Amino acid sequence: MGEQHTAAAAGTGESEFDRDTGVVRAEPGVYHAEVSGGWSIVSAVNGGYLTALLGRALADTLPHPHPFTVTAHFLTATRPGPAVIRTSVARAGRSLSTGSASLWQPGPDGRETERIRLLGTYGDLSRLTDDVRTSAKPPALPPAEECLPVSDTPEGTVPGDVTMLDRLAARLDPATVGWALGRPSGRGEVRGWFALADGRDLDPLALLLVGDALPPTAFDLGLASAWVPTVEYTTHVRALPAPGPVRVSVTTRNLAGGFLEEDAEVWDGADRLVAQSRQLARAPRD
């Protein structure tokens, strides 16, 4: 069967996000992809970007368009370059469908090595009811113009590759950037505004990136500014986001045994909680 390009989100043009999460269907359940080094931070390709890459392949496999809940387990370090994504359908119902996706790359010995395994349930967010009953509140942030562009953090604060920052229009709440000045608060909080630098509006697929896109809360705990490798990353997409920037709050409440969790909430301009995520990560070593 000939290769076939999957469709990108309508109206997004030549967005870097769409280009770099693009997959090519080689046959049913098998996709070719090119992992972009442009979404690297410190010494690794960002886990949120990789989750969105696999999420796009799974969206092409399942009969429903939008991720409702996606969980990715990171097995070995993914490298920029060619990859194969294999997908399968576990169940296809009328309102929800569930499937899995795995990303494979050549290992040091030339054999295929599984890098990531993802399980996701998809549906149609446009068909959800308008009933909302919540005690959650959006984070209180200063206006975006009063927040610090993430790319303006002092040189050397985040060592290594920071090319991902060029693709983000993220601005951090000054109350949560003391770590960048050598004064971490110890609370384990990072808040800010988030958008993509090329102006592409966020959609459910891009929300898989957002919960892992701000600086790690480990920095605010006073730990070394180094790679914080994700072990597992789960995102719940709750609604179609309104156009424009979103507000993101990320917190850590418990670091123990060398591991920490990060809980993120993503709020759109209509004050709706559009995504929630949690990840387990390995704390950097001092």
Side-chain angles (χ1 to χ4, degrees):
M1 181 181 294
E3 293 188 342
Q4 178 178 336
H5 287 269
T6 66
T12 54
E14 295 297 320
S15 161
E16 286 187 296
F17 176 80
D18 290 313
R19 181 197 67 201
D20 293 343
T21 59
V23 295
V24 177
R25 190 190 312 134
E27 58 184 271
V30 180
Y31 299 83
H32 293 162
E34 185 74 18
V35 176
S36 171
W39 300 85
S40 296
I41 192 74
V42 185
S43 60
V45 182
N46 176 261
Y49 157 71
L50 292 169
T51 300
L53 175 63
L54 273 75
R56 189 181 290 282
L58 193 55
D60 186 71
T61 300
L62 296 174
H64 293 95
H66 304 137
F68 273 34
T69 176
V70 168
T71 297
H73 286 261
F74 297 85
L75 310 178
T76 55
T78 304
R79 307 299 183 193
V84 173
I85 299 174
R86 296 187 174 92
T87 63
S88 65
V89 179
R91 179 182 181 274
R94 286 197 296 178
S95 60
L96 295 173
S97 55
T98 300
S100 62
S102 295
L103 185 145
W104 300 75
Q105 289 183 314
D109 59 0
R111 295 184 178 183
E112 273 197 328
T113 300
E114 188 176 9
R115 306 295 194 193
I116 308 166
R117 187 174 298 187
L118 178 147
L119 182 67
T121 293
Y122 282 55
D124 188 342
L125 290 165
S126 68
R127 298 176 65 86
L128 298 184
T129 71
D130 294 329
D131 184 29
V132 176
R133 310 179 196 192
T134 181
S135 60
K137 296 181 180 179
L141 290 176
E145 59 271 17
E146 297 178 15
C147 292
L148 176 71
V150 68
S151 56
D152 285 358
T153 52
E155 185 175 355
T157 300
V158 182
D161 190 349
V162 293
T163 52
M164 180 177 171
L165 301 184
D166 295 334
R167 284 146 184 83
L168 309 182
R171 303 180 73 94
L172 303 178
D173 183 345
T176 66
V177 294
W179 52 269
L181 304 174
R183 299 191 298 271
S185 75
R187 295 189 299 269
E189 296 180 332
V190 177
R191 297 187 298 271
W193 296 87
F194 180 90
L196 292 170
D198 62 12
R200 179 202 192 277
D201 279 326
L202 301 176
D203 63 6
L205 190 70
L207 290 176
L208 301 182
L209 163 72
V210 178
D212 193 40
L214 295 189
T217 55
F219 293 2
D220 191 48
L221 291 174
L223 300 179
S225 298
W227 184 31
V228 182
T230 301
V231 177
E232 177 269 339
Y233 175 54
T234 295
T235 301
H236 297 165
V237 180
R238 307 303 302 272
L240 293 168
V246 294
R247 288 158 290 173
V248 186
S249 171
V250 189
T251 59
T252 288
R253 295 194 306 164
N254 189 58
L255 186 157
F259 292 86
L260 57 89
E261 90 290 342
E262 286 194 340
D263 291 315
E265 292 185 352
V266 182
W267 295 79
D268 71 1
D271 282 348
R272 293 178 305 166
L273 181 60
V274 294
Q276 299 163 281
S277 71
R278 165 169 279 198
Q279 66 174 281
L280 179 70
R282 187 185 295 273
R285 296 176 176 86
D286 291 321

